Amino acid sequence: MKLTSFAFLTAALTFGAAAADAPKELNLGILGGQNATQQIGDNQCVKDFFDKTLHVETKLRNSSDYSGVIQGLLGNKIDMVLSMSPASFASVYLQNPKAVDVVGLVVDDKDNSRGYHSVVIVKADSPYKKLEDLKGKAFGMADPDSTSGFLMPNQAFKKTFGGSVDDKYNGFFSSVTFSGGHEQDILGVLNGQFDGAVTWTSMIGDYNTGYTSGAFTRMMRMDHPDLMKQIRIIWQSPLIPNGPILVSNNLPPDFKAKVVAAIKALDKEDHSCFIKAVGGAQHIGPATVADYQNIIDMKRELMKGSRG
């Protein structure tokens, strides 16, 4: 009798401890640089799915810039990100390699490609046909922690023109401005603030529909259906690995495993929601830190340069 009571008490205490370990709140980080209202709307279905699946209150932590999500992951204020900027992940990894786990990366539904490109766009009715035509012109970058919006074009421009962003690449551009995000870069070109600017796209599928994923498709869906007739792409980077799906290692291990399972279930059970959240027709594929080593190395060099 006493043994039975003791076993029951132990089980109850164990269950209580497990329940206590499970957070009441789950924080989903959303990178800035896009229309905040649209981003919250695109992730509302994610919140609903996680609330129901994990019995928690899922908070949508939309940041005005990439740095907010980086600091959120490092400061244990954000628990997961469904599509992180590779350069932003590199920033997290270089400051704390054990802060997060890579759950996977997004893979194109149509051809299983695992990457995207930084592209330079100009207005369709402008005379600019190639990057060199932008000499002496105003240029827009997205965010200092963006891969396609700064890291990749910065490396390419330094090799092509010399200098750095600080001296406008040896004075090649008349100005280089961080607009705050990809949408702002595109709008800057459309409204004449920039003669050219960078953004991101898969470069897969139909040009007229904005390709399969990227900043164009989001804007076309929002309020610019004729966007692809208004711009022209004059440069593209080498392939960049798609953004990693991250989960914080600060979560209790059992609950973290449930979060990882829920992310994979979202992709399988409500794929249309997953597509909205990650900004393209994509699904989860395997990935590790090794997939981002080149980006991590580039980011490390950039950080050394800024300290120097």
Side-chain angles (χ1 to χ4, degrees):
M1 186 72 179
K2 285 183 179 176
L3 272 174
T4 306
S5 299
F6 179 75
F8 178 80
L9 179 61
T10 303
L13 287 171
T14 303
F15 175 80
D21 281 346
K24 301 270 194 301
E25 194 174 281
L26 185 67
N27 296 287
L28 172 63
I30 304 172
L31 290 173
Q34 306 283 355
N35 180 281
T37 304
Q38 185 191 15
Q39 283 187 308
I40 294 294
D42 285 348
N43 283 274
Q44 186 62 43
C45 60
V46 179
K47 168 183 165 52
D48 295 341
F49 186 90
F50 276 88
D51 285 358
K52 182 180 177 182
T53 305
L54 296 176
H55 309 292
V56 294
E57 175 69 18
T58 306
K59 302 284 190 180
L60 303 180
R61 304 298 187 188
N62 188 68
S63 173
S64 61
D65 58 19
Y66 288 31
S67 178
V69 177
I70 293 169
Q71 297 309 317
L73 287 168
L74 289 169
N76 302 323
K77 303 295 185 186
I78 288 175
D79 302 312
M80 62 177 181
V81 183
L82 291 183
S83 186
M84 187 68 161
S85 152
S88 295
F89 165 60
S91 292
V92 173
Y93 183 83
L94 288 168
Q95 292 178 70
N96 182 0
K98 296 180 180 179
V100 296
D101 267 356
V102 175
V103 174
L105 57 65
V106 288
V107 178
D108 193 271
D109 282 349
K110 290 189 177 178
D111 70 353
N112 286 319
S113 61
R114 293 163 54 90
Y116 64 103
H117 297 270
S118 171
V119 294
V120 171
I121 61 166
V122 297
K123 285 183 79 169
D125 59 3
S126 75
Y128 316 122
K129 306 290 185 187
K130 59 186 186 298
L131 195 59
E132 288 72 18
D133 295 338
L134 291 175
K135 183 175 176 59
K137 305 301 179 182
F139 195 82
M141 294 285 195
D143 185 290
D145 290 302
S146 170
T147 318
S148 56
F150 177 60
L151 188 66
M152 290 298 277
N154 175 65
Q155 185 186 53
F157 295 175
K158 286 200 300 187
K159 285 182 179 176
T160 304
F161 307 123
S164 69
V165 67
D166 296 326
D167 64 10
K168 295 167 282 194
Y169 303 102
N170 264 342
F172 179 81
F173 298 109
S174 63
S175 63
V176 179
T177 304
F178 284 104
S179 69
H182 292 282
E183 181 186 329
Q184 292 93 320
D185 268 4
I186 297 169
L187 290 174
V189 168
L190 294 180
N191 66 29
Q193 179 187 1
F194 306 132
D195 296 293
V198 288
T199 188
W200 76 282
T201 178
S202 66
M203 297 296 284
I204 296 166
D206 184 2
Y207 172 90
N208 294 309
T209 62
Y211 297 112
T212 55
S213 63
F216 302 140
T217 56
R218 280 191 187 273
M219 284 194 66
M220 291 176 76
R221 185 157 45 86
M222 186 170 61
D223 55 7
H224 286 77
D226 296 325
L227 177 64
M228 302 313 285
K229 296 175 184 174
Q230 299 173 291
I231 62 165
R232 180 168 61 249
I233 296 170
I234 63 168
W235 175 87
Q236 73 178 63
S237 73
L239 195 68
I240 302 166
N242 282 338
I245 299 159
L246 304 177
V247 171
S248 171
N249 279 324
N250 188 56
L251 292 170
D254 288 350
F255 184 72
K256 178 187 159 192
K258 290 178 181 177
V259 171
V260 171
I263 292 172
K264 293 178 178 178
L266 173 67
D267 179 28
K268 300 287 186 187
E269 297 171 20
D270 194 349
H271 191 57
S272 60
C273 172
F274 187 80
I275 284 174
K276 282 177 70 177
V278 300
Q282 299 167 319
H283 60 275
I284 300 174
T288 66
V289 172
D291 290 289
Y292 300 97
Q293 193 58 55
N294 183 45
I295 302 294
I296 291 167
D297 293 342
M298 286 171 59
K299 189 72 177 183
R300 183 185 287 112
E301 286 303 308
L302 186 67
M303 290 167 74
K304 279 182 186 173
S306 64
R307 284 197 298 269

